[in-house]
Amino acid sequence: MHTELKTFSNRYGLGFGVLFLLLGTAGCGRSSVQAAAPAMPAPLVTVIKATAQDVPKYLDEIGRNAAFESVTITPQVGGRIVERHFQDGENLKKEQLLFVIDPRPYQAQLDSAQASLAQAKAALELARIQFARDEEVIAARAISKQDYDTKKSAVDLDQAQVDAAQASVETARLNLEYCYIHSPINGRAGARLVDVGNVVQPNSTSLLSIQRLDPIYANFTVTEIALPEVQNQMSHGTLKAAVRLPSDPENVARPGRVEFLDNSVQNGSGTVNLRATINNADHHFWPGQFVDVKLVLNTEKAAVLIPNEATQISQQGPFVYVVKSDDTAELRPVKLGQRQGDDVVVTAGVAANERVVLAGQMLVRPGSKVRVAANSADLTSSNPSSQTLSSKAGR
């Protein structure tokens, strides 16, 4: 029994010793490797210079387009439609012929009125001749005063008959003109509501809707909180707006003139209606479409702009990394103003021409050295959309 235990101790004791020796050797190797590891290089970052430029101060609103003029065509005389001279959806010119109502009954009325006028004129001429003859003998008392007055009254009565007949002719001629229905405006036709052969009634049957698309309105609202500033700016002249479809890039927003401010705040919503007028020769906007409206109130002079992607958010608020002259990164809390396209206004925390880290922020540590990418020298914070909006606001 003792012999077996001694053999076990010699055999396994030797094994444990070898194992501890190997582990110790491995541990010494790792320490040597760690001691020889090189320092991490400074992170590579792309920087951009903050710029100072005049930018518009605006209200972002959602609006809806409406036709500049909208007309519903209704007949002014009744009858059967005999002709149609346009296609549904056609762009119409002012005075373009649209419909023809059967003119024959109205032509007959005109002919009858003209005949009555001719008859009245003949009666008037006869009355004048008779009165002129009596005027020659009234001084010699060849006729009585009563007969003279009767002949004079007959002239006046026949003159009134001529005037009435003339008015009937004008009415008949006007009704005949109403048989030929023309477009009162330049605009786009909707779908026709009657076809040839339909009998229409005066002032009750709708024939067609026409809407003028150039220029076009953009109706929108602002809150009553913003109303005093809007009123103040409007008192100094016409307000400007930039209008675009939600699918359009910001740099293609079209300028508009805000010339209408409603006279009351809407009950319940606490908003007031405004309207911008936009040129629309290419029919880019369409009545009923929703649009994005920037109501430009004034211009902020020498505002500091940086790309919005350069900003980051922490529990203390937004911040950026600024690269100082010695290529060390400084964490700067910032206060942000309005967006200007892809840029954002910095109201505090960054000055113009300071270098702001645009890419590579994840590896940057406050106070640490950074390597500035070579292409950073060509970058400046210049957003075309904000410049475009600013230039449009100043027109």
Side-chain angles (χ1 to χ4, degrees):
M1 182 66 176
H2 292 289
T3 304
E4 293 176 356
L5 290 174
K6 186 176 181 180
T7 304
F8 176 82
S9 175
N10 291 338
R11 182 184 304 169
Y12 289 99
L14 179 62
F16 287 141
V18 173
L19 178 60
F20 290 148
L21 179 61
L22 291 175
L23 290 175
T25 304
C28 293
R30 280 199 301 271
S31 299
S32 301
V33 171
Q34 289 177 354
M40 292 293 292
L44 181 66
V45 297
T46 301
V47 300
I48 189 170
K49 282 188 177 181
T51 60
Q53 63 184 39
D54 297 346
V55 296
K57 182 180 179 182
Y58 59 85
L59 297 176
D60 248 332
E61 307 294 345
I62 296 176
R64 198 165 192 174
N65 287 332
F68 187 79
E69 292 178 312
S70 183
V71 178
T72 299
I73 304 298
T74 56
Q76 293 175 275
V77 294
R80 184 169 60 89
I81 300 291
V82 294
E83 296 178 22
R84 174 172 61 88
H85 293 271
F86 70 96
Q87 297 297 325
D88 293 350
E90 181 180 344
N91 290 320
L92 304 175
K93 297 295 184 181
K94 187 176 181 178
E95 301 302 331
Q96 180 176 335
L97 182 62
L98 303 176
F99 294 98
V100 176
I101 297 173
D102 189 358
R104 293 173 298 175
Y106 300 99
Q107 182 65 57
Q109 291 177 10
L110 176 59
D111 294 341
S112 176
Q114 288 174 333
S116 297
L117 176 61
Q119 184 178 6
K121 285 181 176 180
L124 174 62
E125 185 65 23
L126 176 60
R128 283 175 174 171
I129 293 173
Q130 291 175 345
F131 178 66
R133 186 183 302 120
D134 290 345
E135 272 191 317
E136 294 176 355
V137 298
I138 186 63
R141 298 178 179 238
I143 62 171
S144 66
K145 179 64 174 174
Q146 182 177 359
D147 288 341
Y148 175 82
D149 292 340
T150 300
K151 295 292 179 66
K152 186 175 183 297
S153 176
V155 172
D156 294 338
L157 179 60
D158 288 340
Q159 180 63 57
Q161 292 293 338
V162 169
D163 294 341
Q166 183 67 51
S168 297
V169 168
E170 296 301 325
T171 300
R173 182 177 288 113
L174 188 60
N175 287 337
L176 181 60
E177 291 179 3
Y178 286 155
C179 292
Y180 301 89
I181 302 173
H182 299 80
S183 175
I185 61 172
N186 294 323
R188 188 177 181 89
R192 66 185 184 276
L193 303 177
V194 296
D195 289 308
V196 172
N198 289 124
V199 176
V200 297
Q201 300 299 322
N203 303 315
S204 62
T205 307
S206 296
L207 307 182
L208 175 70
S209 175
I210 304 174
Q211 297 196 89
R212 181 176 174 183
L213 306 183
D214 180 35
I216 197 168
Y217 288 138
N219 296 319
F220 61 100
T221 62
V222 298
T223 64
E224 58 183 314
I225 297 175
L227 179 58
E229 188 170 5
V230 171
Q231 290 174 313
N232 179 54
Q233 294 299 324
M234 204 165 188
S235 66
H236 293 89
T238 303
L239 286 175
K240 304 294 183 181
V243 183
R244 66 182 182 90
L245 297 176
S247 58
D248 290 340
E250 287 196 31
N251 60 349
V252 301
R254 300 194 179 187
R257 308 176 306 278
V258 181
E259 300 169 337
F260 170 75
L261 173 64
D262 208 352
N263 58 5
S264 64
V265 176
Q266 301 298 310
N267 292 332
S269 64
T271 59
V272 61
N273 296 322
L274 290 93
R275 183 172 64 202
T277 305
I278 310 106
N279 293 330
N280 191 39
D282 59 352
H283 295 176
H284 180 70
F285 297 114
W286 214 250
Q289 279 183 315
F290 285 101
V291 288
D292 292 334
V293 180
K294 287 186 183 297
L295 178 62
V296 182
L297 298 177
N298 52 39
T299 300
E300 186 175 351
K301 300 294 184 180
V304 177
L305 288 176
I306 63 172
N308 188 60
E309 61 183 298
T311 63
Q312 299 186 80
I313 298 294
S314 69
Q315 292 181 347
Q316 287 73 37
F319 69 93
V320 297
Y321 282 111
V322 175
V323 178
K324 298 191 293 185
S325 58
D326 60 354
D327 286 344
T328 59
E330 179 184 356
L331 188 151
R332 293 268 191 91
V334 292
K335 292 183 179 180
L336 303 179
Q338 285 189 317
R339 289 284 298 270
Q340 303 288 338
D342 294 329
D343 288 352
V344 63
V345 174
V346 180
T347 59
V350 176
N353 295 320
E354 285 194 301
R355 295 183 298 171
V356 178
V357 176
L358 181 65
Q361 300 100 319
M362 297 300 295
L363 299 177
V364 177
R365 296 293 178 268
S368 64
K369 286 279 188 178
V370 295
R371 290 181 298 135
V372 178
N375 64 339
S376 296
D378 300 328
L379 297 178
T380 56
S381 178
S382 57
N383 179 36
S385 63
S386 63
Q387 292 175 352
T388 301
L389 180 58
S390 181
S391 63
K392 290 177 179 177
R395 292 178 187 171

